[in-house]
Amino acid sequence: MRIPAHSVCTAIRDDIVAGVYERGSRLTEELLARRYGVSRVPVREALRTLEAEGFVVTRRHAGACVAEPTEQEGADLLEMRVLLEPLGASRAAQRRTEAHLKVLRGLVRLGQERARRGNSEDLRSLGSWFHETLAQASGSAAMTSMLTQLRHKIAWMYAVEAPANPVESWAEHGAIVDAVARGDSERARALTALHTERATTAHRLRFAGGAERPDRVRNSQHPVNMTGLRH
């Protein structure tokens, strides 16, 4: 069965973010097709999409390679998120549905429970889900897509320290949802701006100081499961 191009794109992007394909390493269609069990056609389409997103570059005599973003590009991504996430929350206060609120409130309850227990791994995934849902609640497909791409690239470029006080962090999430539920767009914007700025200080660049350019691909920790890919 032919795997859709968007699933191949998601798989390659996830492996780039996870460090399976290191910065500067070559991405040949033949090897990628073999790895994901598909023909070269969806691989070629996926590489074009990933190049447009900034994860891949095409080099003369080398072909497709994993991009090597600079420290300044990383700083720009964080600044863009600080500007866009508050705007998304403001729009969410105006456009959210009851379904969005139900998911957001459920995530806050889970986050607060996990924060009290000190389960940092669960908190990381719950936080990502929270911000993804908040972006979707903005009612703007363009904004949701842009914020999703920003989160992918930031996760690729930065390691994030766990918050010193996760209970307080999830209280901030709860306050944002309360503002969104009340339709208070200005408060939703202000609370999200403060939350995002605080979170930004916990980011540490993975590739600081012009790290040595890699020339190999790491073995993936887990087998690729194409049926479980999100898009």
Side-chain angles (χ1 to χ4, degrees):
M1 183 176 68
R2 182 177 184 274
I3 300 296
H6 64 73
S7 295
V8 179
C9 183
T10 299
I12 298 172
R13 185 194 300 110
D14 287 349
D15 279 347
I16 290 174
V17 171
V20 175
Y21 306 116
E22 296 184 338
R23 298 168 75 237
S25 60
R26 293 184 62 195
L27 297 170
T28 65
E29 292 179 10
E30 182 179 358
L31 290 177
L32 292 174
R34 189 182 312 133
R35 172 177 172 78
Y36 300 109
V38 297
S39 72
R40 294 173 65 168
V41 174
V43 168
R44 192 174 304 127
E45 294 174 8
L47 290 176
R48 281 199 292 265
T49 299
L50 293 170
E51 184 167 18
E53 293 178 358
F55 288 96
V56 171
V57 295
T58 300
R59 294 196 174 104
R60 189 177 181 182
H61 305 308
C65 299
V66 179
E68 298 179 87
T70 65
E71 293 186 29
Q72 183 59 59
E73 287 173 321
D76 289 345
L77 292 173
L78 292 178
E79 185 175 5
M80 289 169 64
R81 191 178 67 173
V82 168
L83 293 172
L84 284 178
E85 286 208 345
L87 177 60
S90 175
R91 294 290 184 270
Q94 301 167 349
R95 303 172 181 174
R96 89 293 183 280
T97 65
E98 288 302 314
H100 290 132
L101 286 178
K102 183 177 180 180
V103 174
L104 288 168
R105 285 169 171 155
L107 289 169
V108 168
R109 283 195 298 271
L110 282 173
Q112 290 173 339
E113 177 186 325
R114 299 295 194 276
R116 287 191 293 269
R117 294 181 181 179
N119 193 327
S120 59
E121 286 306 311
D122 281 355
L123 290 178
R124 194 180 303 276
S125 59
L126 286 172
S128 296
W129 191 0
F130 176 89
H131 287 286
E132 181 177 337
T133 305
L134 187 63
Q136 292 171 352
S138 72
S140 169
M143 183 174 295
T144 301
S145 176
M146 190 172 296
L147 284 169
T148 297
Q149 286 189 38
L150 280 173
R151 280 192 295 275
H152 284 314
K153 293 190 77 173
I154 288 169
W156 175 37
M157 294 189 66
Y158 288 91
V160 183
E161 298 174 356
N165 190 338
V167 173
E168 180 180 341
S169 177
W170 277 92
E172 293 175 2
H173 285 93
I176 292 169
V177 174
D178 288 343
V180 168
R182 291 196 305 271
D184 190 339
S185 59
E186 287 306 312
R187 181 164 176 78
R189 182 197 294 265
L191 289 172
T192 304
L194 181 61
H195 176 75
T196 307
E197 288 170 3
R198 286 177 177 170
T200 297
T201 64
H203 287 67
R204 299 291 177 265
L205 197 68
R206 296 182 190 274
F207 318 125
E212 189 175 313
R213 178 173 165 175
D215 58 2
R216 63 186 180 86
V217 175
R218 295 176 180 171
N219 290 326
S220 179
Q221 295 288 330
H222 306 286
V224 175
N225 180 3
M226 301 304 294
T227 60
L229 289 172
R230 296 168 59 193
H231 52 85

